[in-house]
Amino acid sequence: MKSINIHSLIERMLANSVPTSTEESNLIDCANSVRKKLDSYILEHKLDHYITDIVFGGSFAKGTWLRNETDIDIFIKFRCNLDYDHFETFGKQIGMQSLTEYSPYLRYADHPYVEVVIDEIKVNVVPCFDVPFGKWKSAADRSPFHTSYMVNHLDQQQKNQVRVLKRFLKSLKIYGAEISTEGFSGYVCE
């Protein structure tokens, strides 16, 4: 029986997990394009006084996404004093109306968010409240804090280790926090 060198196996997994420079460039262009559309819509419809920032999140922002499995999470941070009904309404309105050319649709987690697919890249536009750490008003409020922490604490080798772990968990069909999978999330992998 032939023995398997674990280090060479990990290197092969990594080589199949790290996005190409072309893929990375396309992803960045897509993310910036969507961000501009959101910004333009918000300004045009005078919604900017409800919003504190728009930030990238998820594996895209942290540099831990897998080759050929790309998505972009964009968080619209609403002022924490905004009531929940307006939070949901404005979150849906901004995502649906600013991205109409891509046939947006609603998805639901703790609250609704908008999803589109642009050139095979899934983009999620997620509203969250701009709250102090630990004072969550919605489940999405934690995400920008996690992203910031990971961006400031993962070096390139650790990002690659996260990618290998994700690829391994995917091969076992236990990656993904969705109800249908009930597996390990990217958050846990990081």
Side-chain angles (χ1 to χ4, degrees):
M1 183 168 152
K2 185 178 177 181
S3 68
I4 298 174
N5 179 326
I6 190 72
H7 297 291
S8 65
L9 177 62
I10 290 171
E11 286 302 316
R12 283 198 326 255
M13 287 177 67
L14 183 58
N16 291 320
S17 299
V18 176
T20 65
S21 59
T22 300
E23 183 181 357
E24 184 173 355
S25 177
N26 290 342
L27 189 64
I28 291 168
D29 290 346
C30 179
N32 289 330
S33 173
V34 171
R35 168 79 194 254
K36 285 179 188 171
K37 289 177 185 301
L38 295 172
D39 284 333
S40 293
Y41 183 88
I42 289 165
L43 290 173
E44 181 181 330
H45 291 85
K46 299 179 178 30
L47 296 171
D48 52 315
H49 60 281
Y50 297 113
I51 297 166
T52 61
D53 203 359
I54 297 176
V55 297
F56 294 116
S59 60
F60 167 69
K62 295 173 255 181
T64 60
W65 77 90
L66 296 174
R67 178 188 294 175
N68 299 321
E69 297 184 33
T70 309
D71 62 11
I72 301 169
D73 295 330
I74 302 176
F75 289 86
I76 301 174
K77 296 174 78 172
F78 286 90
R79 295 190 186 285
C80 63
N81 61 351
L82 184 67
D83 65 83
Y84 205 82
D85 287 338
H86 282 99
F87 165 77
E88 283 192 1
T89 299
F90 293 150
K92 290 188 288 189
Q93 176 187 342
I94 293 166
M96 295 295 285
Q97 297 300 314
S98 63
L99 303 173
T100 55
E101 68 192 272
Y102 304 112
S103 303
Y105 47 93
L106 286 177
R107 301 289 306 257
Y108 293 88
D110 177 53
H111 55 72
Y113 64 96
V114 174
E115 187 170 278
V116 297
V117 177
I118 303 169
D119 298 329
E120 300 180 22
I121 300 170
K122 183 171 61 172
V123 180
N124 295 309
V125 179
V126 183
C128 68
F129 288 103
D130 189 2
V131 295
F133 183 82
K135 305 288 184 183
W136 322 128
K137 290 180 70 175
S138 81
D141 300 348
R142 298 178 297 243
S143 293
F145 289 96
H146 174 72
T147 298
S148 177
Y149 183 86
M150 289 295 118
V151 165
N152 291 310
H153 288 84
L154 288 179
D155 61 28
Q156 192 57 52
Q157 181 181 1
Q158 291 166 322
K159 290 176 187 180
N160 287 340
Q161 290 171 346
V162 169
R163 286 180 165 127
V164 168
L165 178 58
K166 286 180 179 181
R167 181 67 71 206
F168 175 71
L169 295 173
K170 279 180 169 282
S171 74
L172 298 174
K173 298 183 180 9
I174 57 173
Y175 177 78
E178 301 84 7
I179 291 172
S180 60
T181 306
E182 294 184 342
F184 294 90
S185 66
Y187 181 88
V188 170
C189 292
E190 291 154 2

